[in-house]
Amino acid sequence: MIKHFVKNRFWIITGAELITIAFMFSIGFSVIDIHVPASFQLVSRPSFRLLVITIGVAMIFQSVWDTTWYYIREVTRLAAAGVVGMMASAFLLSDLNTLHVTLVPLGLMFLLIRILSDLLTDNTLFRSRR
């Protein structure tokens, strides 16, 4: 199991970051403006935070035990990129609406860039599974 920690350390840390971000937003760390489009208001709901926690836990699970069944690795990575991208967009739109600049969208964009860059460099979807 130690070799899986070393091999997948990035994704274990990313899963922990997703869980931490969900908990930070559930205690009211940052609030989305009311004038943000309804599709981005989804980010402020508790069900979305539960989804982010679930994706983080699944990412840690598949990284620690190095599971590859049903493309769980790719599904969790793409889901993480999707929820982080949606959060970054929602908070950026909220900042632009209120003309109050915060560092939340910037931090989420850096996390999204890191996830996407690792997806591009370490893609296991197209490797042969023998």
Side-chain angles (χ1 to χ4, degrees), residues 107-120:
L108 289 171
M109 283 184 208
F110 282 137
L111 179 61
L112 180 64
I113 289 170
R114 198 170 56 133
I115 290 172
L116 291 176
S117 67
D118 196 60
L119 270 173
L120 291 174

Side-chain angles (χ1 to χ4, degrees), residues 65-103:
W65 282 281
D66 204 28
T67 57
T68 57
W69 38 268
Y70 297 113
Y71 299 105
I72 186 75
R73 181 183 311 262
E74 289 80 13
V75 168
T76 56
R77 291 175 182 185
L78 290 175
V83 295
V84 170
M86 189 163 180
M87 285 190 292
S89 301
F91 284 108
L92 182 64
L93 285 175
S94 179
D95 285 355
L96 292 175
N97 242 354
T98 60
L99 298 176
H100 183 261
V101 178
T102 62
L103 295 177

